């Protein structure tokens, strides 16, 4: 485990401490004529050896080290820091060091005292009273400053205590041997349970960006996405072979296979788009031609999506940054509505931003958040069943890993709550970042084991010029359409609440996970 370290800013010549490194640099320049060069790297980042914390007081688990004001090195002893600085940063030292002379001897202090006494002996009473008042003001300021330091120290102690993981805040039910998901000799339920238990063995709270699998596991969800086994939290329990085998088994069990898209249909669609780009035909004419194609029902949904985008996409990419509202209306809504919105079948893609129907009907549900998108079926004049949920963020948030992980976790818990309360076979999850859409599906293959599987990613074209690229993604889109129509429906079997596991509340989740954010942390949703 990495050592917890607080880096303190101390002058290696006069032992004076500073809260901020910038003040230490100013002090060195003004008092010791040492000009500090600018750092090439401005911040220290957590690594396998050290985890950096901020505190102004001592703590048994946190080691104080002296930080170099000119680079990112730090040392356990101050003389080591001084040796390092005089060796590695000698060019910043003055040619002839000028140091302030201290009054050390008693005779020197006596002379100063006599001089001060002589200087004040001729003062009037009002002048003496004024000096006494000034001294009193200085004492008051010192007391106020001491009080603020004590308050900061108390706050710092509290902040460190708040980062301690509370293992008693949550517990996991052991797997049922009679209802487990097994792949040859591998019992996935037992491996997943061991993974869950390992979360509670940590002393310090976990960070969301690099512990996404652990965050899902708190809700009894096994997150499956290609190339995500490499993360430290899950790799000791599911190695690459096991992880890939589980994905392949789930895909085979539920029939996730990319169908063949007839080449003649692809050719017809591409020819129509090319005619529009050459301006041989208008957009309206192209829409008529696309809708007149004689193709199966699932392929019709794909063509409807092309039609919707044909109506909305600009001729050339828009250079300005697109906000969430325009992103939704110009790109996301036409694309998703073409795939899932079908009023004739009572299916509606809605931009809700309201508490889910499941949460309104069931006060016991911990998740009271509001999804951006909900795919809901209509029964009579009322919306009755949720078949999918989505969260949308503009491309400006692409590097905010904490926010993206938080959104994906919300999508997964929305899907889980819908599956539990509505007795669904599966529920579709959608995460949108800019014009990139990632599709997931939540399943319950065994008692107490939810699977959140990534189906694939699609990039929505930025203009009509790129629309032909989307046609080449037709097999993946047909897979998603098939999975949604076939699995994201109410189960015909009897509901079995004993197979379900609760979604933990936000307050309990925060006992395990830290609220700290850092864009430099390794993240499974990193897109660059």
């Amino acid at each position: 485990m990495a050592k917890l370290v607080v880096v303190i800013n101390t002058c290696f010549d006069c032992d004076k401490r500073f809260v901020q490194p910038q003040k230490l640099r100013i002090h060195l320049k003004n008092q010791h004529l040492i000009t500090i060069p600018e750092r090439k790297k401005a911040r220290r980042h957590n690594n396998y050896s050290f985890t950096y914390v901020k505190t102004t007081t001592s703590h048994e688990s946190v080691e104080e080290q002296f930080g170099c004001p000119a680079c990112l090195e730090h040392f356990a002893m101050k003389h080591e820091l001084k040796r390092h600085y005089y060796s590695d940063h000698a060019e910043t030292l003055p040619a002839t060091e000028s140091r302030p002379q201290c009054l050390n001897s008693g005779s020197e202090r006596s002379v100063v005292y006599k001089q001060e006494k002589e200087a004040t002996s001729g003062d009037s009473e009002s002048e003496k009273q004024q000096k006494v008042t000034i001294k009193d003001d200085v004492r008051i300021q010192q007391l106020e400053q001491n009080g603020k330091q004590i308050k900061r120290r108390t706050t710092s102690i509290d902040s460190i205590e708040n980062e301690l993981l509370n293992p008693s805040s949550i517990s996991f039910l052991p797997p049922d041997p009679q209802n487990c998901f097994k792949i040859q000799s591998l019992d996935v339920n037992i491996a997943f349970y061991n993974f869950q238990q390992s979360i509670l063995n940590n002393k310090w709270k976990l960070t969301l960006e690099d512990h996404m699998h652990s965050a899902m596991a708190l809700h009894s969800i096994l997150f499956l996405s290609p190339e995500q086994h490499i993360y430290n939290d899950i790799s000791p329990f599911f190695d690459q072979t096991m992880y890939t085998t589980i994905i392949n088994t789930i895909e085979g069990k539920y029939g996730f296979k990319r169908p063949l898209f007839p080449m003649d249909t692809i050719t017809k669609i591409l020819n129509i788009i090319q005619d529009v780009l050459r301006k041989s035909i208008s957009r309206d004419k192209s829409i008529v031609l696309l809708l007149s194609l004689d193709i199966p029902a699932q392929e019709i949904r794909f063509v409807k999506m092309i039609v919707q985008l044909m109506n909305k996409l600009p001729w050339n990419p828009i250079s300005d940054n697109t906000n969430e509202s325009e992103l939704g209306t110009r790109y996301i809504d036409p694309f998703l509505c073409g795939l899932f919105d079908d009023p004739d079948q009572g299916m509606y893609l809605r931009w809700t931003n309201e508490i889910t129907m499941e949460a309104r009907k069931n006060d016991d549900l911990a998740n009271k958040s509001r999804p951006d998108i909900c795919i809901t079926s209509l029964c009579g004049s009322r919306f009755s069943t949720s078949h999918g949920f989505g969260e949308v963020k503009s491309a400006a948030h692409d590097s905010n890993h904490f926010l993206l992980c938080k959104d994906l976790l919300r999508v997964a818990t929305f899907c889980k709550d819908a599956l539990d309360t509505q007795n669904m076979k599966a529920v579709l999850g959608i995460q949108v970042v800019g014009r990139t859409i990632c599709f997931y599906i939540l399943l319950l293959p065994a008692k107490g084991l939810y699977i959140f599987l990534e189906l694939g990613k699609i990039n929505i074209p930025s203009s009509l010029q790129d629309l032909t690229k989307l046609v080449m993604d037709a097999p993946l889109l047909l897979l998603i359409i098939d999975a949604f129509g076939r699995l994201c429906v109410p189960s015909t079997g009897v509901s079995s609440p004993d197979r379900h596991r609760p979604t933990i509340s936000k307050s309990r989740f925060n006992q395990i996970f830290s609220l700290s954010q850092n864009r430099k942390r390794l993240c499974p949703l990193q897109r660059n």
Side-chain angles (χ1 to χ4, degrees), residues 437-468:
I437 301 184
C438 196
F439 293 93
Y440 301 87
I441 193 164
L442 185 116
L443 307 155
L444 183 61
K447 184 177 180 179
L449 177 66
Y450 299 83
I451 297 289
F452 195 57
L453 176 67
E454 180 182 322
L455 296 177
K457 291 180 182 178
I458 295 291
N459 288 316
I460 301 177
S462 59
S463 65
L464 281 178
Q465 307 292 332
D466 294 331
L467 188 56
T468 54

Side-chain angles (χ1 to χ4, degrees), residues 261 263-278 281 290 293 302 306 310 466-473:
F261 199 89
M263 186 53 65
D264 60 333
T265 303
I266 291 179
T267 303
K268 290 177 182 177
I269 295 173
L270 289 174
N271 288 337
I272 293 172
I273 295 174
Q274 290 293 340
D275 286 342
V276 174
L277 295 177
R278 289 193 296 265
I281 59 174
L290 287 169
L293 293 175
F302 174 80
I306 297 293
M310 186 71 75
D466 294 331
L467 188 56
T468 54
K469 297 179 182 178
L470 187 61
V471 178
M472 306 316 296
D473 288 326

Side-chain angles (χ1 to χ4, degrees), residues 12 63-67 74-84:
F12 47 77
E63 178 181 321
E64 283 189 349
Q65 295 208 1
F66 300 93
H74 49 86
F75 304 88
M77 304 299 291
K78 192 174 64 178
H79 67 83
E80 295 175 342
L81 167 63
K82 187 170 184 177
R83 187 187 305 118
H84 156 78

Side-chain angles (χ1 to χ4, degrees), residues 12 18 28 91 110-111 119 196 205 252 270 291 309 316 320 338 367 371 400 412 415 425 433 442 444 457:
F12 47 77
F18 299 87
L28 289 169
E91 72 279 0
S110 177
V111 171
Q196 289 178 308
K205 289 182 179 179
L270 289 174
L291 293 176
L309 290 174
N316 298 298
D320 294 338
N367 193 355
N400 191 334
C415 294
K425 289 183 180 179
V433 182
L442 185 116
L444 183 61
K457 291 180 182 178

